[in-house]
């Protein structure tokens, strides 16, 4: 089969590799769509590294069950499925309490083991979520990370109806954080980004206010939009240390006691300073991976058309064109949401 393999920084090769075999508890998925994530680009630019090299990248994907291992019971050949990229053990203490993202024995698809930028993938039975017929494979693919990570961030921020929420970074994850904050009833959703194309998208997804730090005094505007109370929560999705410090300031009220919740989602590769008073009566949470149960929730919401994430998909390419997709993300000459990859080889 064909697969896009990471061989080091700036070295992504589409090449022939053996089709995977399945263990007793595994399922072979004929992938129909995968999507490009910022973490994949981070590997290729040297910002971060996968756990092994070479490796097939990609952790967002959806397809059809091609074969099942002898002990598999919950899925059958022909089922439509979305990939949950966490390979969890299912038995450790976090898994037993429903927190598979904290599994002691976990591996991540596309980081520890081969991922979704391929025609087929073998994954554990528990790493699959049923994908109803009405949800396109491309949407099922992005649901498994960009959509779900934004959902998880809003859940961890404990956003309530009437809240003021600021999202720093209106990329793939940030846009969906905006969408979910609006969906749960936040009264004021503020999006902050340096790219006006992304801010326009954030407004389409429910942002009431969009701010560009190159021309707007972000903190002054946040106070103005919240009657001086500051934000109830700030979600940082860009991975920028400057934005992270801005998120901490965004929840800082007037008297040292007024503060909300900061959720850090973007991968921070630089140190940041947090003063005691910055979050004295609030919380600072570092989150990343969503839960399998949250992906199931999202699929139900997509099925009932309670939300529509399809506008997030701005580009579609073939597996052979994947480097073009990476270049598109890096160039930033136009609005780039989720780049969906047709993995069928057709």
């Amino acid at each position: 089969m064909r697969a896009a393999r990471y061989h080091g920084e700036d070295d992504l090769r589409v090449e022939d590799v053996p089709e995977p075999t399945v263990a007793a508890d595994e399922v072979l998925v004929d992938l129909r769509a995968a999507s490009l994530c910022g973490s994949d680009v981070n590997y290729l630019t040297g910002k971060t590294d996968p756990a092994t090299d070479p490796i097939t990248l990609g952790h967002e994907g959806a397809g059809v069950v091609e074969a099942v291992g002898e002990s598999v019971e919950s899925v059958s050949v022909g089922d439509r499925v979305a990939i949950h990229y966490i390979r969890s053990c299912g038995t450790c203490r976090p898994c037993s309490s429903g927190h598979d993202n904290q599994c002691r024995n976990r591996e991540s698809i596309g980081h520890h083991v081969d991922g979704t930028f391929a025609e087929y993938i073998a994954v554990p039975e528990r790493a699959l979520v049923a994908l109803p017929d009405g949800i396109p494979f491309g949407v099922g693919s992005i649901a498994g990370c960009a959509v779900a990570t934004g959902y998880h961030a809003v859940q961890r921020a404990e956003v309530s109806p009437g809240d003021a929420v600021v999202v720093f970074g209106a990329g793939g994850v940030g846009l969906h954080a905006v969408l979910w904050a609006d969906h749960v009833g936040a009264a004021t959703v503020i999006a902050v980004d340096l790219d006006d194309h992304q801010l326009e998208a954030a407004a389409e997804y429910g942002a009431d206010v969009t701010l560009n730090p190159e021309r707007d005094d972000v903190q002054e505007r946040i106070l103005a939009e919240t009657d001086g109370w500051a934000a109830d929560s700030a979600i940082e999705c860009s991975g920028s240390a400057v934005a992270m410090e801005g998120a901490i300031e965004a929840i800082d009220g007037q008297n040292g006691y007024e503060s909300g919740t900061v959720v850090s989602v973007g991968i921070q590769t630089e140190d940041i300073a947090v003063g005691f008073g910055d979050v004295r009566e609030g919380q600072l949470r570092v989150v990343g991976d969503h839960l399998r149960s949250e992906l199931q929730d999202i699929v139900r919401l997509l099925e009932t058309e309670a939300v529509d994430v399809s506008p997030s998909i701005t580009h579609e390419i073939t597996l052979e064109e994947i480097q073009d997709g990476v270049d598109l993300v890096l160039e930033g000459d136009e609005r780039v949401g989720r780049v969906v990859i047709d993995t069928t080889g057709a």
Side-chain angles (χ1 to χ4, degrees):
M1 69 173 185
R2 300 289 278 171
R5 304 272 289 171
Y6 168 93
H7 288 269
E9 184 177 344
D10 292 324
D11 191 355
L12 182 64
R13 309 176 198 173
V14 180
E15 53 194 9
D16 291 319
V17 298
E19 185 178 305
T21 57
V22 295
D25 65 341
E26 288 186 326
V27 176
L28 182 67
V29 178
D30 176 358
L31 288 162
R32 302 298 175 85
S35 38
L36 191 61
C37 181
S39 59
D40 302 309
V41 176
N42 287 340
Y43 296 151
L44 293 167
T45 57
K47 185 176 181 180
T48 55
D49 299 304
T52 186
D53 174 7
I55 187 173
T56 299
L57 293 183
H59 54 274
E60 304 179 14
V64 176
V65 174
E66 178 82 4
V68 299
E70 59 186 21
S71 66
V72 172
E73 297 180 350
S74 65
V75 296
S76 302
V77 172
D79 286 355
R80 302 173 89 253
V81 292
I83 305 289
H84 177 51
Y85 62 74
I86 296 170
R87 294 173 60 110
S88 59
C89 71
T91 57
C92 68
R93 186 167 67 183
C95 281
S96 297
S97 63
H99 295 89
D100 58 295
N101 61 342
Q102 299 176 19
C103 174
R104 173 166 285 184
N105 306 297
R106 68 164 282 179
E107 293 178 321
S108 296
I109 292 169
H111 178 75
H112 297 98
V113 297
D114 286 336
T116 57
F117 294 167
E119 293 179 297
Y120 296 90
I121 187 172
V123 295
E125 178 181 10
R126 69 174 61 89
L128 297 176
V129 170
L131 188 68
D133 290 339
I135 302 176
F137 288 114
V139 171
S141 173
I142 68 170
C145 179
V147 178
T149 301
Y151 182 91
H152 182 62
V154 169
Q155 294 294 311
R156 296 298 292 149
E158 299 180 355
V159 177
S160 299
D163 279 0
V165 181
V166 186
V167 177
F168 287 80
V173 172
L175 284 178
H176 294 103
V178 167
L179 179 147
W180 292 119
D182 181 63
H183 178 74
V184 300
T188 305
V189 181
I190 301 172
V192 182
D193 201 287
L194 293 167
D195 188 325
D196 286 335
H197 293 299
Q198 299 304 124
L199 291 176
E200 291 171 5
E204 294 172 5
Y205 264 45
D208 302 292
V209 179
T210 59
L211 303 175
N212 187 324
E214 292 185 334
R215 62 172 177 269
D216 298 310
D217 186 325
V218 172
Q219 301 303 329
E220 181 179 286
R221 286 291 304 279
I222 290 171
L223 289 175
E225 295 293 337
T226 60
D227 296 326
W229 288 100
D232 297 291
S233 58
I235 301 172
E236 202 298 298
C237 298
S238 71
S240 160
V242 172
M244 186 62 194
E245 291 171 357
I248 293 170
E249 186 177 355
I251 64 162
D252 189 10
Q254 296 182 10
N255 65 4
Y257 297 91
E258 302 166 9
S259 59
T261 300
V262 175
V263 174
S264 175
V265 181
I267 297 173
Q268 296 288 332
T269 58
E270 299 177 23
D271 292 338
I272 60 170
V274 181
F276 173 75
D278 292 335
V279 289
R280 189 179 188 280
E281 289 293 325
Q283 301 179 68
L284 175 59
R285 295 176 169 177
V286 179
V287 303
D289 305 306
H290 60 277
L291 306 175
R292 182 176 184 273
S293 60
E294 290 174 328
L295 180 54
Q296 291 173 316
D297 292 341
I298 290 165
V299 168
R300 283 192 289 268
L301 290 168
L302 292 172
E303 183 181 20
T304 61
E305 300 182 347
V307 294
D308 179 14
V309 300
S310 60
S312 299
I313 301 173
T314 57
H315 297 77
E316 297 184 31
I317 59 175
T318 67
L319 186 59
E320 301 293 334
E321 297 170 328
I322 191 168
Q323 185 60 55
D324 294 336
V326 173
D327 294 340
L328 189 67
V329 172
L330 292 174
E331 288 164 2
D333 294 334
E334 57 184 287
R335 181 197 161 195
V336 180
R338 301 316 272 184
V339 178
V340 169
I341 304 155
D342 179 347
T343 52
T344 63

